[in-house]
């Protein structure tokens, strides 16, 4: 978790403007099925507006601290404290998870992955994957009680994808990617696959194409949105409130209190600013559409636009905010020694937010956050410590009645990383170790145990190297899957089934 956040903290003025939370679907868990696609009212506000406002308020403080802020009762102090809290934490985390020798480990787009796992003590599995830029091969094998069960070879490059099952059939099946779209529709005409499956296969085969100027346009669009948010923040009212005694760096200290008053109109301004950038910046608009399509369960941005006009939805959100929120929202900030100690908001007992930042070796080393939305609670906590080259971090994620835990112990001297993850509610447990060899050209992962319902189901080793091994194309009689007739399909299926007996 820490390592994944390094880039976010390195430059607080380059925060990438996100897709508004109220217009996107949650990404946690498994991929959601495609939504019911209706041309009108396809997107609804799916989180309490108070939670959105809190996220916006935090973003305001982080993004604007380095800019010129008007003087006022605590306005500048809040922004600078938020920025300092994240900047100091980011620098400290970056120092711990530096991994210098791995920064350019895969710059040549070469990699080799080998795995040897044991499943339920009886089933052994082997995996060998090699990739050299655009060419790759994969071997998967399994044996039961020492006897071979299955062997499979896969190969892919820019022109073809092929695979073979040498113990089951003499064929080496392949797909010509250069004619794939035409071939897939032929299979639809033959009645072998359905039209919906065909569309998904075509999308999977399409190469990702970078839009001209996208990176530059997205960056500029993000800056424009942040500048608009800065203007909104300048208009907010900030007032002093009673100080509060909170725990910081292991001690109870007196923290200055401020309240940021956000009006419905100011929240609406956020959506309008987003809409204006969306309409005026083509590269940003394309990026926004792609992200929204993925979050809403559409196969592509083009399909999304058949059922939804994001600019119209942003306008609808702005209108809905003004109509439905009848009172100003008060977000409380408590500061100590130029840093944030707590951010909180409370509408009622079923809708509130509280983020306690307790410090340590860096501000966010020990922290916990609670969000209650319509009686549904989300709780996130982190605790950590660094002593004599040994760094520990413990994470807790609570989702109402279910709680997930992750414990990490990192030896900054030899690079060993021990980790455990467990979920008592679903009775899932994982433990393993990541080794960092001195040469820096490989990562070794030892999975001690994966348990479900207190039964060990998997253990084994995984090695990742930055040197590509031998690329192997499956051997056998070439058979183009896309030219297969229905009779051939059933003949091959019968051959495979018969070989298993």
């Amino acid at each position: 978790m820490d390592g994944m956040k390094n880039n976010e903290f390195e430059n607080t003025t380059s925060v990438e403007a996100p897709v508004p939370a109220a217009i996107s679907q949650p990404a946690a868990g498994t991929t959601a099925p495609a939504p019911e696609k209706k041309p009108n009212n396809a997107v609804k506000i799916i989180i309490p507006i108070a939670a959105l406002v809190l996220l916006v308020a935090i973003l305001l403080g982080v993004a604007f601290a380095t800019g010129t802020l008007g003087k006022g009762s605590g306005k500048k102090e809040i922004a600078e404290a938020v920025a300092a809290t994240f900047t100091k934490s980011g620098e400290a985390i970056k120092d711990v998870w530096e991994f210098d020798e791995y920064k350019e480990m895969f710059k040549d787009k070469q990699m080799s992955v080998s795995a040897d796992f044991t499943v339920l003590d009886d089933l052994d599995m082997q995996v060998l994957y090699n990739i050299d830029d655009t060419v790759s091969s994969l071997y998967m094998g399994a044996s039961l009680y020492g006897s071979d069960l299955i062997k499979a070879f896969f190969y892919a490059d820019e022109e073809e994808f092929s695979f073979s099952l040498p113990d089951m059939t003499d064929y080496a099946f392949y797909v010509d990617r250069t004619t794939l779209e035409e071939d897939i529709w032929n299979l639809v005409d033959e009645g072998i696959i359905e039209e919906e499956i065909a569309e998904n296969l075509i999308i999977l085969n399409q190469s990702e194409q970078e839009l001209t100027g996208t990176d530059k346009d997205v960056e500029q669009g993000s800056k424009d949105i942040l500048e608009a948010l800065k203007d909104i923040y300048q208009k907010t009212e900030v007032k002093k409130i009673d100080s509060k005694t909170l725990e910081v760096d292991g001690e109870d200290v007196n923290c200055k209190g401020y309240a940021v008053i956000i009006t419905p109109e100011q929240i609406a301004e956020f959506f309008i600013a987003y809409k204006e950038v969306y309409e005026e910046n083509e590269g940003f608009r394309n990026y926004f559409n792609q992200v929204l399509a993925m979050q809403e369960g559409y196969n592509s941005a083009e399909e999304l636009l058949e059922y939804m006009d994001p600019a119209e939805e942003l306008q609808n959100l702005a209108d809905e905010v003004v109509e439905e929120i009848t009172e100003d929202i008060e977000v409380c900030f408590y500061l100590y020694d130029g840093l944030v100690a707590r951010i909180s908001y409370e509408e009622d007992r079923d809708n509130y937010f509280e983020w306690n930042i307790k410090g340590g070796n860096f501000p966010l080393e020990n922290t916990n956050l609670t969000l209650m939305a319509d009686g549904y609670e989300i709780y996130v906590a982190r605790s950590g410590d660094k002593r004599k080259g040994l760094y520990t971090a413990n994470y807790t994620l609570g989702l109402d009645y279910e709680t997930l835990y992750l414990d990490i112990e990192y030896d900054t001297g030899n690079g060993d990383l021990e980790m455990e993850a467990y979920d008592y509610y679903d009775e899932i447990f994982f433990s393993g170790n990541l080794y960092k060899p001195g040469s820096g050209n490989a990562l070794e992962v030892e999975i001690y145990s994966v348990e479900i319902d207190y039964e060990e189901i998997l253990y084994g080793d995984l090695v990742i190297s930055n040197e590509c091994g031998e690329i192997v194309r499956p051997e056998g009689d070439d058979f183009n899957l896309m030219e297969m007739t229905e009779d051939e399909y059933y003949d091959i299926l019968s051959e495979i089934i018969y070989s298993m007996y």
Side-chain angles (χ1 to χ4, degrees):
M1 291 187 183
D2 286 336
M4 294 174 65
K5 296 293 183 184
N6 287 353
N7 292 336
E8 294 181 17
F9 296 117
E10 290 181 4
N11 186 348
T12 57
T13 61
S14 62
V15 178
E16 184 175 281
V19 175
I23 202 172
S24 62
Q25 298 223 7
T30 57
T31 303
E36 184 179 3
K37 298 165 185 175
K38 300 178 180 180
N40 296 315
N41 301 320
V43 178
K44 301 295 183 183
I45 294 180
I46 61 170
I47 64 173
I49 194 66
L52 171 64
V53 173
L54 287 166
L55 297 175
V56 173
I58 294 169
L59 175 61
L60 290 175
V62 176
F64 309 147
T66 57
T68 303
L69 291 171
K71 294 182 179 179
S73 177
K75 188 171 294 186
K76 188 172 183 178
E77 288 85 347
I78 291 172
E80 290 180 342
V82 174
T85 299
F86 280 87
T87 301
K88 290 184 178 182
S89 298
E91 291 172 349
I93 291 172
K94 181 181 176 183
D95 289 342
V96 172
W97 306 105
E98 205 160 19
F99 290 114
D100 279 340
E101 61 269 45
Y102 292 94
K103 287 182 178 178
E104 297 185 355
M105 182 173 173
F106 302 108
K107 65 179 181 180
D108 296 327
K109 298 182 180 180
Q110 290 191 351
M111 181 171 63
S112 176
V113 180
S114 62
D116 189 355
F117 298 130
T118 298
V119 182
L120 297 174
D121 288 329
D122 300 319
L123 179 65
D124 293 321
M125 298 183 63
Q126 300 81 39
V127 177
L128 180 60
Y129 173 70
N130 289 297
I131 182 170
D132 186 356
D133 197 2
T134 60
V135 184
S136 62
S137 68
L138 171 69
Y139 164 77
M140 299 180 66
S143 59
L144 185 64
Y145 301 116
S147 300
D148 288 342
L149 185 64
I150 188 173
K151 293 180 182 178
F153 294 88
F154 301 85
Y155 171 87
D157 59 26
E158 293 179 320
E159 295 185 351
E160 77 163 300
F161 171 78
S162 61
F163 72 95
S164 69
L165 304 168
D167 294 335
M168 297 183 176
T169 177
D170 294 331
Y171 289 116
F173 303 101
Y174 75 93
V175 172
D176 186 341
R177 299 181 67 179
T178 63
T179 61
L180 182 61
E181 185 168 348
E182 179 184 348
D183 294 339
I184 285 177
W185 288 117
N186 287 336
L187 292 182
V188 173
D189 293 339
E190 289 283 337
I192 296 177
I193 63 175
E194 297 179 358
E195 185 172 329
E196 184 176 352
I197 296 175
E199 292 174 349
N200 291 331
L201 289 174
I202 291 170
I203 291 170
L204 285 174
N205 184 60
Q206 290 174 344
S207 301
E208 295 183 2
Q209 297 180 359
E210 295 184 2
L211 298 169
T212 303
T214 291
D215 291 342
K216 183 178 179 181
D217 292 341
V218 170
E219 181 179 356
Q220 183 59 51
S222 300
K223 288 181 179 179
D224 291 341
I225 291 173
L226 294 177
E227 189 63 31
L229 287 173
K230 177 180 174 180
D231 292 339
I232 296 171
Y233 183 69
Q234 291 280 35
K235 297 180 219 176
T236 59
E237 177 190 351
V238 177
K239 65 181 183 180
K240 287 186 177 181
I241 57 177
D242 292 341
S243 61
K244 191 179 289 288
T245 299
L246 301 171
E247 180 186 344
V248 178
D249 296 336
E251 299 180 1
D252 291 335
V253 297
N254 188 54
C255 302
K256 293 188 295 183
Y258 298 94
V260 179
I261 313 301
I262 304 174
T263 68
E265 290 75 19
Q266 289 164 350
I267 300 171
E269 280 187 57
F270 164 70
F271 292 112
I272 296 301
Y274 219 114
K275 174 191 171 187
E276 290 176 350
V277 173
Y278 175 87
E279 291 178 327
E280 296 170 3
N281 185 323
E282 181 180 2
F284 182 87
R285 181 167 62 252
N286 291 333
Y287 168 81
F288 182 96
N289 290 340
Q290 292 171 30
V291 173
L292 187 59
M294 179 175 61
Q295 293 181 341
E296 294 291 332
Y298 291 90
N299 292 320
S300 65
E302 291 74 16
E303 184 181 16
L304 166 83
L305 295 175
E306 292 178 13
Y307 301 96
M308 180 193 306
D309 180 354
E312 181 180 342
E313 297 296 343
L314 288 165
Q315 182 65 57
N316 291 341
L317 288 171
D319 296 339
E320 190 172 348
V321 164
V322 177
E323 292 173 3
E324 295 193 2
I325 301 181
T326 58
E327 298 180 355
D328 295 344
I329 292 176
E330 186 174 293
V331 183
C332 298
F333 289 79
Y334 295 93
L335 313 181
Y336 175 75
D337 196 21
L339 300 169
V340 178
R342 175 181 289 179
I343 305 173
S344 62
Y345 162 80
E346 183 173 358
E347 179 181 343
D348 52 49
R349 62 183 297 174
D350 289 328
N351 294 279
Y352 65 84
F353 173 93
E354 183 175 287
W355 187 1
N356 293 293
I357 300 172
K358 299 184 176 182
N361 292 297
F362 55 89
L364 290 170
E365 184 171 48
N366 297 283
T367 182
N368 60 65
L369 181 155
T370 302
L371 170 63
M372 180 71 78
D374 290 338
Y376 182 84
E377 184 182 53
I378 298 175
Y379 176 79
V380 181
R382 183 195 189 284
S383 61
D385 196 12
K386 180 182 179 182
R387 297 179 182 176
K388 296 181 179 179
L390 190 65
Y391 184 81
T392 60
N394 310 101
Y395 298 88
T396 303
L397 173 61
L399 305 172
D400 249 5
Y401 300 107
E402 186 170 0
T403 305
L404 309 175
Y405 302 91
L406 173 64
D407 299 333
I408 299 174
E409 184 176 275
Y410 175 52
D411 189 324
T412 57
N414 60 26
D416 285 359
L417 185 85
E418 296 269 359
M419 64 182 71
E420 290 186 351
Y422 39 101
D423 174 357
Y424 292 124
Y425 184 83
D426 290 324
E427 298 179 345
I428 298 174
F429 175 81
F430 167 86
S431 64
N433 190 1
L434 170 68
Y435 296 92
K436 199 171 73 169
S439 62
N441 63 355
L443 290 170
E444 298 180 18
V445 181
E446 181 178 356
I447 299 176
Y448 299 148
S449 179
V450 177
E451 298 179 13
I452 297 180
D453 293 336
Y454 302 105
E455 180 179 3
E456 184 174 68
I457 63 167
L458 184 146
Y459 60 89
D461 301 302
L462 178 71
V463 178
I464 304 171
S465 169
N466 66 347
E467 296 179 356
C468 176
E470 182 182 2
I471 300 289
V472 178
R473 189 187 183 283
E475 296 181 353
D477 299 329
D478 286 343
F479 188 98
N480 190 336
L481 279 175
M482 296 296 99
E483 297 178 354
M484 176 173 54
T485 65
E486 188 173 2
D487 288 341
E488 288 174 326
Y489 168 77
Y490 285 110
D491 287 343
I492 292 171
L493 186 61
S494 298
E495 181 182 351
I496 292 175
I497 294 174
Y498 179 77
S499 69
M500 298 175 68
Y501 291 95

